[in-house]
Amino acid sequence: MTQPHLSQKHLSLLAGGVGGAKFTYGVMRALPDPASLTVIVNVGDDFEHFGLKICPDLDTVCYTLAGLENPATGWGRRGESWRVMEAVAVLGGPDWFRLGDLDLATHLERTRRLRAGQPLHEIAAAFCKAWGVKARVLPVTNESVPTVVLTDEGELAFQEYFVRRRWQPRVRGFRFAGAENARPAPGVLESLRTADAVLIAPSNPFVSIDPILAIPGVREAIAGKPVAAVSPIVGGEAVKGPAAKMFRELGYEPSAAAVAEHYRGLVSHFVLDEADADQAAAVRQIVPHVLVTDTLMTDATKRVELARTVLSWLEREP
Ligand code: FO1
């Protein structure tokens, strides 16, 4: 009997942000059965705005898997219009966090369902079904565990820091409020425990992946498994967003090796970009299995190529 390919087994993927969504899309497309993929998504960016529950990372992942994402921003919806936000601005309301007209439908319907008592993971499943997403997408927890950014100016709520202040305040650390008492959403630990391998997307380690790992039981569920992380830092800079700036402000030189160090003891496999090939030996001192490849997901084909490269490497070097 031939050995089943990893691409036919169960995979779990930890993701947040735009880079995370792009890699998730690649993995989903690289698998013969997208239903064998469970995506566990950061909820630290979630907040309430206009009385609506906004879940940026869940929505970014789901829109991207459904092909509904706005290609210009990576977040929000394709073909978006902004009539509601424009009308809000005329009234003097807050328009710093831009909610498009189509995107608003997601927040309205999610908030209605939450108020009716439906848990977030069921809402995510219902929305994925409606949008034709075959992979399973789970919030890491159904509870509110907001990321708080500790800055030179004091504590800032995540979206205040990220969008309103355009990640300019200097960071000193992060807090995931209430994480220690939060319960993982149904299916999260089961999916991690039964996964043949766990992937960590090239997402921001501090504010996309760490808030997932902070939920009790998550680290334990993946301990001892093949866990492969893809570096979000390429050539000393973040592909998108503030990851490199955060490393610097926390006192580390941003590099693929610094990301590997951040994940020391958690990951068995680490993927870095060709631009950082000179760090492969140093990373091998931190993580046993190291792959150097082109990680830049400049179009949909490259997302799938990267996923295929990582999955076939995991098969060869489990
Ligand atoms: N990011 C921005 O930089 N500016 C925005 O106005 C903005 C609005 C927005 C609306 C819905 C949504 O799901 C995401 C949105 N994002 C926006 C992205 C969001 O801040 C994410 O948390 C970050 O991209 C980090 O992943």
Side-chain angles (χ1 to χ4, degrees):
M1 216 168 81
T2 53
Q3 191 69 17
H5 292 296
L6 187 68
S7 52
Q8 292 165 352
K9 296 184 185 174
H10 282 275
L11 290 178
S12 288
L13 195 163
L14 313 185
V18 173
K22 287 183 177 173
F23 183 67
T24 304
Y25 174 91
V27 173
M28 182 191 72
R29 287 275 313 274
L31 294 172
D33 176 13
S36 64
L37 174 67
T38 301
V39 192
I40 297 170
V41 182
N42 171 39
V43 297
D45 297 23
D46 296 8
F47 74 130
E48 248 195 47
H49 201 45
F50 296 102
L52 300 174
K53 172 82 165 179
I54 319 289
C55 303
D57 283 358
L58 263 183
D59 292 347
T60 299
V61 166
C62 294
Y63 290 159
T64 303
L65 296 186
L68 294 171
E69 85 285 9
N70 183 334
T73 54
W75 50 265
R77 284 191 58 163
R78 190 180 289 272
E80 188 58 282
S81 57
W82 304 93
R83 300 199 61 193
V84 174
M85 272 290 108
E86 284 158 15
V88 165
V90 168
L91 298 175
D95 62 351
W96 58 271
F97 195 85
R98 291 168 50 75
L99 297 172
D101 300 337
L102 295 173
D103 189 35
L104 264 167
T106 306
H107 314 308
L108 284 169
E109 177 56 10
R110 175 168 43 227
T111 306
R112 185 191 70 76
R113 288 176 182 244
L114 284 169
R115 295 214 173 117
Q118 197 171 10
L120 189 60
H121 77 287
E122 281 186 15
I123 300 172
F127 286 9
C128 281
K129 188 161 182 237
W131 291 326
V133 174
K134 301 280 191 303
R136 183 154 73 134
V137 180
L138 287 174
V140 63
T141 174
N142 283 336
E143 292 161 45
S144 174
V145 182
T147 296
V148 178
V149 186
L150 317 178
T151 77
D152 273 4
E153 304 170 28
E155 295 199 343
L156 292 175
F158 183 78
Q159 298 296 350
E160 287 279 334
Y161 161 81
F162 195 95
V163 175
R164 196 169 199 173
R165 303 292 310 277
R166 298 170 194 273
W167 33 278
Q168 287 316 301
R170 283 182 71 86
V171 302
R172 291 182 175 173
F174 308 93
R175 193 160 66 75
F176 311 121
E180 55 288 351
N181 297 318
R183 284 158 305 167
V188 166
L189 295 186
E190 294 79 353
S191 132
L192 291 171
R193 286 191 192 118
T194 57
D196 297 287
V198 177
L199 304 174
I200 299 182
S203 303
N204 184 310
F206 303 108
V207 294
S208 293
I209 304 300
D210 284 355
I212 299 177
L213 298 171
I215 303 303
V218 170
R219 277 182 180 272
E220 293 77 0
I222 65 179
K225 282 187 177 289
V227 180
V230 181
S231 177
I233 301 278
V234 173
E237 288 302 330
V239 177
K240 192 174 194 287
K245 181 173 180 282
M246 288 173 173
F247 269 106
R248 274 186 220 106
E249 290 170 358
L250 295 170
Y252 306 99
E253 192 61 40
S255 64
V259 177
E261 184 60 46
H262 187 82
Y263 291 138
R264 186 192 277 272
L266 179 82
V267 308
S268 53
H269 292 65
F270 194 82
V271 183
L272 63 159
D273 193 78
E274 284 162 352
D276 300 316
D278 58 346
Q279 293 173 41
V283 174
R284 232 169 251 120
Q285 303 298 307
I286 305 167
V287 179
H289 303 277
V290 176
L291 176 72
V292 178
T293 189
D294 178 6
T295 64
L296 293 180
M297 297 177 283
T298 43
D299 58 33
T301 310
K302 293 196 72 182
R303 300 175 192 171
V304 183
E305 275 172 13
L306 173 61
R308 288 213 175 104
T309 304
V310 173
L311 294 178
S312 55
W313 172 57
L314 273 167
E315 274 171 30
R316 287 194 314 273
E317 258 186 63

